[in-house]
């Protein structure tokens, strides 16, 4: 296949997904299902087109995820962070770790994977998905009491780095052929990735807005281009220096989004469009990567892990994480524990061990795919009625 044909086909798939987005939104179907469905439909060989490149899919998914996290940072106000950082911060760190340990222990008894592979599996699906949470809350126009929606959005925007750290470390252990990894080296790696990611993201974001605010570019169209350049410097510069790529992306986005004086709205509109393009490409390429016949052979095996995650591990991790916050309303904790929406992020994470050649990783990726679908359909549909049942919906008059 020539490069021109590849670009035309991909553009047609993106356009088709976008055209189907509004009808799907009206029906309450998440855009994730539409774009992945388009990929599955056209990439299974029925149209004499087969795509199978794990390394490229993983690369495109990682870049798209970095963009989505950066744009999430751009759209996160410091006031929302001040409201949600205590609860959301615990959920996005301790909550992710607890989910991994609890689910990993259960997976050991309900799957055929060894214990380390079970922990890896659990780490892959441990975080909630920012794109899924933002899009479903926005599509349903839900505003919740007690800052519940703010906590959910903050958690989903900040818990990917911890999950990625665990996935990367566990993948390295399972795929290693050299010296064994010690607890000390894991701790040092964790600290290094968090600290360096924070520092690089903060520094690049600060320098970016300082230069833009001082120079005052007359051509507004150049401002988002300069911001994009700074995004790549922060993201991949942070990774080059040993920091976590997603932490650097998010922190630089928060710094730029809250401190840019000129061209802020232009940049937000531009990057929101870039984020949609990244999501569309990521979902479609993920759909193209999986072959339905192989995929559906692991469908039944994913049901028990999905039940264990949604009804046991996530609720237990949330209630344990909320132990320091004794004054928080029980209904709020119930709602957050029930709405741990998954999206494309776990599928992208599942491709990391698959691309590294970890034994059983292909089956794991298939199972993760179905866990994501179950989460989007089940938890996405339950979000609005559960909010009403628990009395958490905030009336428009009250929110105004």
């Amino acid at each position: 296949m020539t490069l021109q044909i590849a670009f035309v086909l991909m553009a047609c798939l993106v356009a088709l997904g976008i055209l189907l987005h509004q009808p799907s939104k009206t029906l309450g179907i998440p855009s994730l299902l539409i774009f992945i469905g388009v990929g599955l439909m056209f990439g299974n060989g029925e149209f004499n087109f087969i795509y199978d490149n794990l390394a490229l899919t993983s690369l495109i998914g990682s870049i798209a995820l970095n963009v989505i996290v950066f744009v999430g940072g751009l759209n996160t106000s410091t006031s929302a962070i001040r409201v949600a950082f205590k609860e959301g911060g615990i959920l996005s760190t301790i909550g992710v770790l607890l989910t991994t340990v609890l689910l990993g222990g259960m997976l050991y008894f309900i799957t055929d994977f060894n214990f380390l592979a079970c922990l890896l599996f659990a780490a892959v699906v441990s975080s909630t998905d920012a794109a899924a949470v933002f899009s479903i809350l926005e599509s349903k126009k839900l505003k919740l009491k007690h800052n519940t929606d703010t906590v959910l959005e903050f958690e989903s925007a900040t818990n990917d780095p911890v999950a990625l750290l665990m996935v990367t470390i566990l993948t390295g252990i399972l795929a290693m052929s050299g010296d064994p990894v010690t607890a000390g080296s894991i701790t040092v790696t964790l600290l290094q990735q968090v600290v360096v990611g924070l520092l690089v993201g903060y520094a690049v974001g600060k320098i970016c807005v300082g230069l833009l605010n001082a120079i005052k570019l007359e051509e507004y169209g150049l401002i988002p281009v300069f911001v994009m350049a700074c995004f790549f410097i922060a993201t991949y510069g942070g990774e080059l220096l040993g920091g976590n790529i997603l932490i650097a992306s998010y922190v630089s986005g928060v710094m730029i989004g809250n401190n840019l004086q000129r061209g802020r709205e232009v940049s937000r509109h531009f990057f929101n469009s870039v984020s949609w393009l990244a999501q569309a490409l990521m979902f479609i390429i993920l759909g193209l990567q999986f072959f339905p016949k192989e995929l559906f052979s692991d469908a039944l095996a994913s049901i028990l892990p999905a039940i264990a995650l949604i009804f046991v591990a996530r609720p237990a991790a949330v209630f344990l994480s909320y132990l320091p916050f004794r004054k928080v309303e029980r209904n709020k904790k119930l709602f957050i524990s029930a709405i741990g929406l998954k999206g494309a992020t776990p599928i992208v994470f599942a491709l990391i061990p698959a691309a590294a050649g970890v034994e059983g990783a292909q089956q794991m990726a298939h199972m993760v795919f179905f866990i994501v679908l179950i989460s989007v359909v089940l938890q996405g549909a339950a979000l609005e009625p559960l909010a009403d049942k628990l009395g958490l919906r905030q009336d428009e008059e009250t929110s105004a």
Side-chain angles (χ1 to χ4, degrees), residues 77-130:
S77 66
T78 51
S79 59
I81 292 176
R82 282 193 291 269
V83 167
F85 84 96
K86 289 182 180 179
E87 295 175 36
I90 292 293
L91 288 170
S92 64
T93 52
I94 304 300
V96 169
L97 291 171
L98 287 171
T99 301
T100 300
V101 173
L102 293 170
L103 181 59
M106 287 185 287
L107 289 176
Y108 183 70
F109 295 100
I110 61 178
T111 68
D112 295 327
F113 297 113
N114 63 47
F115 184 66
L116 275 180
C118 288
L119 285 178
L120 173 61
F121 193 153
V124 165
V125 295
S126 61
S127 64
T128 55
D129 188 81

Side-chain angles (χ1 to χ4, degrees), residues 27 50 66-67 69 80 85 99 124 135 148 173 180 238 247-248 282 286 297-298 334 345 377 380 391:
L27 295 172
I50 295 177
N66 294 333
V67 171
V69 170
F85 84 96
T99 301
V124 165
S135 63
T148 305
I173 294 172
I247 291 177
M282 178 172 61
L286 289 173
S297 65
D298 294 314
L334 279 172
T345 306
V377 173

Side-chain angles (χ1 to χ4, degrees), residues 206-343:
K206 191 79 172 174
I207 293 170
C208 174
V209 294
L211 289 172
L212 284 175
N213 291 339
I215 295 172
K216 292 182 171 58
L217 288 170
E218 294 183 5
E219 179 52 64
Y220 270 71
L222 290 175
I223 295 175
V225 177
F226 185 80
V227 171
M228 177 172 280
C230 292
F231 155 68
F232 280 107
I233 293 170
T235 300
Y236 294 98
E239 186 181 39
L240 192 64
L241 294 173
N244 181 270
I245 193 168
L246 294 179
I247 291 177
S249 299
Y250 183 74
V251 173
S252 61
V254 171
M255 289 298 299
I256 295 169
N258 285 277
N259 296 294
L260 189 63
Q261 294 174 2
R262 297 181 72 252
R264 180 183 299 178
E265 289 306 310
V266 172
S267 296
R268 280 184 174 166
H269 286 304
F270 172 80
F271 279 103
N272 283 337
S273 298
V274 172
S275 177
W276 270 111
L277 176 61
Q279 289 181 57
L281 287 174
M282 178 172 61
F283 295 152
I284 288 173
I285 204 81
L286 289 173
L288 290 173
Q289 178 62 52
F290 293 108
F291 298 93
K293 289 181 181 178
E294 297 178 5
L295 194 63
F296 286 105
S297 65
D298 294 314
L300 289 177
S302 65
I303 294 176
L304 280 179
I307 292 172
L309 172 63
I310 295 171
F311 295 104
V312 183
R314 166 71 180 181
V318 168
F319 274 90
L320 287 171
S321 298
Y322 264 103
L323 286 177
F325 307 102
R326 299 186 181 278
K327 294 182 180 180
V328 173
E329 295 77 6
R330 180 173 173 272
N331 283 358
K332 178 179 180 179
K333 290 185 282 189
L334 279 172
F335 185 84
I336 291 175
S337 70
I339 307 299
L341 281 163
K342 309 302 172 189

Side-chain angles (χ1 to χ4, degrees), residues 30-41:
S31 57
L32 176 151
L33 297 180
I34 297 301
F35 286 111
I36 284 185
V38 168
L40 282 171
M41 184 188 305

Side-chain angles (χ1 to χ4, degrees), residues 57-228:
T57 302
S58 182
L59 176 64
I60 293 173
S62 298
I63 294 172
L65 189 57
N66 294 333
V67 171
I68 293 167
V69 170
F70 175 73
V71 176
L74 279 179
N75 293 320
T76 301
S77 66
T78 51
S79 59
I81 292 176
R82 282 193 291 269
V83 167
F85 84 96
K86 289 182 180 179
E87 295 175 36
I90 292 293
L91 288 170
S92 64
T93 52
I94 304 300
V96 169
L97 291 171
L98 287 171
T99 301
T100 300
V101 173
L102 293 170
L103 181 59
M106 287 185 287
L107 289 176
Y108 183 70
F109 295 100
I110 61 178
T111 68
D112 295 327
F113 297 113
N114 63 47
F115 184 66
L116 275 180
C118 288
L119 285 178
L120 173 61
F121 193 153
V124 165
V125 295
S126 61
S127 64
T128 55
D129 188 81
V133 171
F134 292 151
S135 63
I136 290 179
L137 283 175
E138 182 183 355
S139 66
K140 295 182 181 295
K141 305 297 182 186
L142 265 185
K143 188 68 180 172
L144 304 174
K145 296 177 182 177
H146 315 305
N147 297 309
T148 305
D149 48 346
T150 306
V151 172
L152 275 171
E153 290 174 352
F154 183 84
E155 178 203 6
S156 66
T158 57
N159 60 10
D160 289 337
V162 178
L164 178 60
L165 284 172
M166 291 190 294
V167 170
T168 304
I169 290 171
L170 289 166
T171 298
I173 294 172
L174 287 166
M176 71 178 180
S177 57
D179 297 330
V181 179
T182 64
S185 64
I186 291 176
T187 303
V188 170
T189 301
L190 283 169
L191 289 174
Q192 174 186 317
Q193 292 223 348
V194 172
V195 172
V196 174
L198 284 170
L199 290 176
V200 172
Y202 178 85
V204 173
K206 191 79 172 174
I207 293 170
C208 174
V209 294
L211 289 172
L212 284 175
N213 291 339
I215 295 172
K216 292 182 171 58
L217 288 170
E218 294 183 5
E219 179 52 64
Y220 270 71
L222 290 175
I223 295 175
V225 177
F226 185 80
V227 171
M228 177 172 280

